[in-house]
Amino acid sequence: MRLTVSLLATFVLALPVVSYAQHDDRRHGGHQKPPDAAVVEFGVLQTTPIADPSTPCSQAPPFGGPLDPCAYRIHALFPDQVTVAQGGEVSFNIHGGGHGFAIYRVSKKTTREDIGLQLCDGPDPATIEPADAASHLCNGGLGLGGNANAERQLVDAKDDVVLMVPENIPPGTFPDTNRVWYEPGRLMSANAPAFLQGGTAAAPVGEILTYRFLKTGRYLVLCANRSHFFNDWMFGFVDVED
C-alpha cells in the first residue's frame, strides 16, 4: 500500500460535491468500469456564516468553530460515498481544523445508518437544517461531556467489531483519548489539522491524504476527532470493485 501526504494551498471554499457513481451501461448490457481515482472533500473551511441570522448559527467568526451550534453542517465528507476500481486511489482534501483521519474495512452491506445510529441515536445530522440545529441531539459544543466522551464498541452489518473506543477520561487528555485511535484492523490513520505554520483564514495551508485500495470491499473513512465523529457522523465509505 502506498500513502502519499502532501500540502495544498487553498482559498475560500464552498461545499464541493464530487461524485463517481457507478451506473448501468445498457448499450453493452453490463456495468461501466469503476474509475481508477476519486476525490473526497473532507470537511469544509467555512469563512462566512453557515446560515442567516434567523438561525442559531454564529454570525461572528470562527464560523463553524467549536462553539457554533451549526458546526455539524461542515463536519462531513463530500461525497460521503465513492467507488473506485481495485488498485484505485482516493484523495481526501482536508478542510477546516481539528480533524483526524482513519480507514477501516467493514462488511459490504454496512450502511450509513448502521454506523451512525451507534454514534448518536437521532436523525442523521446531514438531514438537519440550520434553523433546527437545536434538534441535533448530540451537539455538545466542544464535544466535552455526554455523547462524545462515552465509551463505544462499533460493529458493522455482520456484527463484526470495527472499533472499540474507551471513555474519554479526563476529556481532551493527550495524546489520544480525545481521538478515535483503535489499532486492530486500522489501515491508515493521521492527525490532520488543516492550519499549519503560515496558514491564515484567508489563505490556509491544507493537506491532501491519498490512499490506494488494493483489495475489493467496503471501507469506512472517518474523522478521528471524537466530537466530529460521534456527534456529527463525520464519516463516509469507499467501495472498491474488481
Side-chain angles (χ1 to χ4, degrees):
M1 295 186 183
R2 185 184 68 186
L3 167 66
T4 304
V5 179
S6 58
L7 298 180
L8 172 69
T10 184
F11 296 90
V12 177
L13 300 173
L15 289 175
V17 177
V18 181
S19 178
Y20 296 88
Q22 186 177 6
H23 59 276
D24 287 333
D25 184 354
R26 300 187 185 280
R27 294 173 301 173
H28 300 87
H31 290 287
Q32 189 178 51
K33 180 182 182 299
D36 293 325
V39 177
V40 175
E41 308 300 329
F42 195 90
V44 175
L45 174 64
Q46 195 74 25
T47 59
T48 60
I50 295 174
D52 61 63
S54 67
T55 69
C57 303
S58 173
Q59 301 301 307
F63 306 112
L67 298 181
D68 187 340
C70 297
Y72 67 94
R73 296 284 293 180
I74 66 174
H75 296 156
L77 278 61
F78 302 96
D80 62 10
Q81 182 169 320
V82 294
T83 301
V84 293
Q86 184 177 6
E89 185 175 77
V90 181
S91 296
F92 300 91
N93 297 335
I94 311 297
H95 304 302
H99 298 309
F101 185 89
I103 300 175
Y104 296 86
R105 189 169 182 170
V106 294
S107 71
K108 293 183 178 180
K109 293 185 178 181
T110 303
T111 67
R112 181 167 174 82
E113 289 71 26
D114 287 336
I115 299 297
L117 291 176
Q118 298 177 75
L119 304 174
C120 174
D121 189 11
D124 184 341
T127 68
I128 301 173
E129 295 299 326
D132 301 319
S135 69
H136 185 352
L137 300 180
C138 299
N139 193 343
L142 290 171
L144 305 180
N147 187 70
N149 283 335
E151 180 182 3
R152 289 290 195 290
Q153 176 176 288
L154 299 183
V155 298
D156 63 12
K158 293 177 63 177
D159 286 331
D160 290 334
V161 174
V162 179
L163 286 165
M164 295 183 66
V165 186
E167 185 178 3
N168 187 18
I169 302 176
T173 299
F174 185 83
D176 58 11
T177 60
N178 197 37
R179 296 284 180 174
V180 179
W181 292 143
Y182 181 67
E183 185 175 355
R186 185 178 65 197
L187 300 176
M188 171 186 170
S189 64
N191 194 34
F195 296 106
L196 304 178
Q197 186 174 1
T200 67
V205 179
E207 291 182 323
I208 301 175
L209 303 179
T210 67
Y211 189 85
R212 188 172 299 279
F213 292 85
L214 301 181
K215 295 183 178 180
T216 60
R218 188 163 174 82
Y219 296 85
L220 174 70
V221 180
L222 60 91
C223 179
N225 182 313
R226 292 179 75 119
S227 178
H228 297 182
F229 183 43
F230 293 160
N231 289 355
D232 302 336
W233 292 26
M234 189 171 178
F235 67 88
F237 296 98
V238 174
D239 288 317
V240 183
E241 300 182 355
D242 57 20

